[in-house]
Amino acid sequence: MDTSRRFKKGNESEVLIQTETNREVLKNAPVENIVTAAHRVAGRSVEPCLFGQGGTCCRNCNMGPCQIIDGVEQMIGVCGADASTVAARNFARIVAGGAASHMDHARGVVMAFLATAKGEAPYEIKDGIKLRQVAMSIGIDVAEKSKEDLAIEVGEKLMAEFGQQEGGLSFVKRAPKPRQELWKKLGIGPRGVDREITEIMHRTHMGVDQHYENLLFQAARTALADGWGASMIATELSDVMFGTPVPIRSRVDIGVLKEDEVNVTVHGHEPILAEALGMAARDPEILEECKKVGAKGINLAGVCCTGNEILMRKGFPIAGSFIQQEVVLATGAVEAMVVDVQCIMQNVSRVAEQFHTELITTSDKAKIPGATHISFDEHRALDIAKEILKRAIKKFPERGKHFVPVRSMDVVAGFSHETINYMLGGRFRASYKPLNDNIINGRIRGVAAIVGCDNYRVTEEMHVEIAKELIANDVLVLVTGCAATSIGRTGLLSPEALDQAGPGLREVLEAVGCPPVLHMGSCVDNSRILIAATEMVRTGGLGEDIYQLPAVGAAPQWMSEKAVAIGQYFVSSGVDVVFGPTFPITGSKVVSDYCFNKMKDVYGGSWHLAKKPSEFVNIMVDTINQARKDLGIDKKKERVLFDMAMRRELGSPAIPDAGCGGHA
Ligand code: NFS
């Protein structure tokens, strides 16, 4: 496709949304007319399909596709399926797609974990304390077992839960008791990880489950198998294997690329590949090869959630979030982009082709035309990682004209549940009590998670606007995924940003040197937020179940199916969740009413839809205030309302060295 004619204005084409750095790179890129997803969004001649957007296009059989219009008798499906059935079926399939991604990711982690425990992979069991905690939490006797034997037992038990047919998942038992009872009563306790996906695909096949509520219960069960199953398995075992994150300083944005080093960006999701590349990048043999081509070393930088994984465990910088993946390559300064799975735009291959950059796929599940494929196998992880880096080093002398922006921002990441425990409670009395106490006394109004993707279809940097207004209102903000990266680009992941927090939040966090926005990791690490919420309940004073907490979640720029699966496991765990600017069931009034209202009665939390940052904030603060009222802790607290002038004034601060956190 010749797209150049459509973008006569060159790299500065009018696009819907760009980060400042994206604009700068595209303006100065050594190759003209680089076309990114932003250009394609802006250049589309047709509006997004309303049936698709509202979830009422059915293509599950070959009598269709059928476009259903809610309430119009002639516009039900050929089989008779109405808007509620089709919207619920499509929604369930979205959840299945998202959950399956986390489940397959988790399976890979368990396989690497077992290989490590058996001494067949070059990683090690880094966090022996967490290994014992995890083992005990899933009912394994830890007495007198070597680290390796215990790890094998833990790995095998969790691996068996993928193919399990009956019973429950071990980590589900970590949820507050009333929540477990509710899931039991509703019949949505997940039985096995893979079983729930298969059942969704079966039940959404033509002519099977046709009751929207029944379909949505299976979507909830599958989402729970993700959040309290697969994602939690992935996070917990990654921590045991690669180390539980502690506060660590690093930088984010495209300016982390280096002039005098071999730039290797690692993009995707699985920490196993990135960890191996990190080990290989410091190998003397590789450093020697670098010297030979006049490079000072390997600069490994992450993109998307791989970035979050290696940022929070190793302090490697993040070059970009989802909407920056093509632009990172447009610098012409990247020798290799190494990818594994998920959120990799096919167009990275076209952009890479215009430079010396080699695109390397590594998962046999994810190949891209035009890319070099090097199959990754954890048993040979280090050798493969070295082979990849050697290819990148060879490319270094071929680097031609390029442009590396100066812009990058200091961040402090690494706020695992364990870290929050220690930071707030102190090393010897690790506890959530100080957090709960400060919520009860009103210094902290509540807790909000801003998660999920960034998305070129959204015209504003919503994450940032929302986060700023929430912290100004004394709401502690937790972030993961690309939302974390985009918020990091503006300096809010640094203790210096406490200036922008309300007086109560500032007072509490200043004492421990935390930023007002806590980076909790990748999207799989949203399971950390479930654990943190459970711990808040367990600590006491804020109710008996998660739905009572003054807590709320949002994914204002979501694009991936994974985000919907995550949202659903939060809702089913009792948390109110705000998505926008669109939501894929709005074509059915019945399903909309169910998701936006009735789920509140069923789970204690429901979905909400918002379009603008102010709408997100209103819903989020109101939800928190209501929870405070219900708990009887709603002492009068002035609400800070932002007008345009205040928003402008809160531009990105210049951040000097961050005070909190360890080495980078
Ligand atoms: Ni989450 Fe991560 Fe980013 Fe969205 Fe994609 S990288 S797993 S799906 S785009 S946050």
Side-chain angles (χ1 to χ4, degrees), residues 293-328:
V293 295
K296 286 201 176 136
I298 301 278
N299 178 33
L300 195 66
V303 176
C304 281
C305 277
T306 292
N308 288 310
E309 296 272 355
I310 53 172
L311 163 72
M312 80 182 307
R313 292 210 182 83
K314 297 284 162 355
F316 284 111
I318 294 187
S321 61
F322 178 73
I323 61 165
Q324 292 187 294
Q325 57 185 289
E326 298 156 290
V327 187
V328 166

Side-chain angles (χ1 to χ4, degrees), residues 94 269 304 322-323 325 342-345 452-458 482 555-564 579-580:
I94 292 173
H269 284 79
C304 281
F322 178 73
I323 61 165
Q325 57 185 289
Q342 301 169 21
C343 301
I344 301 145
M345 292 190 193
C453 330
D454 42 13
N455 178 346
Y456 276 129
R457 279 207 183 279
V458 178
C482 291
Q557 295 178 218
W558 75 278
M559 72 79 206
S560 128
E561 292 172 321
K562 289 177 285 175
V564 180
F579 264 46

Side-chain angles (χ1 to χ4, degrees), residues 195-258:
R195 176 172 179 185
E196 307 310 347
I197 297 285
T198 307
E199 193 167 311
I200 277 200
M201 297 314 283
H202 177 201
R203 282 166 67 165
T204 55
H205 183 276
M206 192 269 150
V208 187
D209 198 354
Q210 293 162 52
H211 196 294
Y212 71 93
E213 190 179 29
N214 210 37
L215 283 158
L216 294 175
F217 276 136
Q218 180 57 20
R221 173 145 61 179
T222 307
L224 292 173
D226 174 353
W228 294 91
S231 283
M232 206 171 278
I233 291 174
T235 296
E236 298 291 73
L237 296 196
S238 295
D239 279 359
V240 172
M241 203 168 15
F242 303 128
T244 304
V246 292
I248 193 162
R249 258 179 35 199
S250 190
R251 298 188 75 81
V252 301
D253 213 346
I254 305 176
V256 304
L257 297 178
K258 292 195 174 146

Side-chain angles (χ1 to χ4, degrees), residues 419-653:
T419 297
I420 295 175
N421 217 9
Y422 287 133
M423 286 206 70
L424 295 170
R427 189 159 184 78
F428 300 106
R429 276 187 309 163
S431 154
Y432 272 60
K433 193 160 184 310
L435 175 63
N436 283 24
D437 286 349
N438 281 306
I439 290 175
I440 294 164
N441 69 27
R443 283 199 191 92
I444 297 179
R445 189 188 294 263
V447 181
I450 305 178
V451 308
C453 330
D454 42 13
N455 178 346
Y456 276 129
R457 279 207 183 279
V458 178
T459 49
E460 297 170 81
E461 278 273 29
M462 307 251 261
H463 302 127
V464 179
E465 296 273 317
I466 296 167
K468 282 181 177 171
E469 203 161 335
L470 288 174
I471 61 169
N473 279 288
D474 292 316
V475 175
L476 176 64
V477 175
L478 313 175
V479 291
T480 57
C482 291
T485 307
S486 82
I487 286 172
R489 282 195 295 264
T490 64
L492 288 177
L493 298 185
S494 163
E496 280 70 15
L498 273 178
D499 291 352
Q500 301 183 50
L505 183 66
R506 187 162 59 224
E507 189 188 331
V508 175
L509 295 183
E510 239 162 26
V512 285
C514 266
V517 178
L518 304 184
H519 183 299
M520 290 189 83
S522 63
C523 285
V524 153
D525 292 334
N526 282 313
S527 58
R528 297 187 198 278
I529 301 178
L530 295 177
I531 296 176
T534 304
E535 202 51 37
M536 285 169 73
V537 171
R538 210 184 57 82
T539 301
L542 295 173
E544 304 297 317
D545 192 0
I546 294 173
Y547 82 93
Q548 290 172 283
L549 295 173
V552 63
Q557 295 178 218
W558 75 278
M559 72 79 206
S560 128
E561 292 172 321
K562 289 177 285 175
V564 180
I566 293 165
Q568 186 59 58
Y569 71 62
F570 273 107
V571 168
S572 304
S573 301
V575 182
D576 282 276
V577 171
V578 199
F579 264 46
T582 60
F583 196 62
I585 44 91
T586 49
S588 160
K589 286 195 201 75
V590 173
V591 177
S592 297
D593 182 49
Y594 189 81
C595 289
F596 299 139
N597 300 309
K598 299 238 171 64
M599 277 194 183
K600 185 87 180 167
D601 303 332
V602 178
Y603 300 115
S606 72
W607 290 97
H608 300 261
L609 178 61
K611 292 195 186 308
K612 295 187 168 310
S614 57
E615 290 170 23
F616 274 90
V617 176
N618 285 343
I619 297 171
M620 295 170 87
V621 173
D622 287 352
T623 302
I624 288 173
N625 286 348
Q626 185 60 47
R628 297 186 65 85
K629 199 167 165 206
D630 295 344
L631 286 165
I633 55 168
D634 56 332
K635 293 192 206 103
K636 202 121 197 76
K637 200 166 173 76
E638 276 295 297
R639 163 84 195 275
V640 184
L641 284 170
F642 273 34
D643 57 22
M644 279 320 284
M646 286 172 80
R647 283 180 208 283
R648 268 195 299 274
E649 219 168 275
L650 285 180
S652 310

Side-chain angles (χ1 to χ4, degrees), residues 331-342:
T331 58
V334 176
E335 277 60 53
M337 176 175 263
V338 190
V339 304
D340 52 31
V341 290
Q342 301 169 21

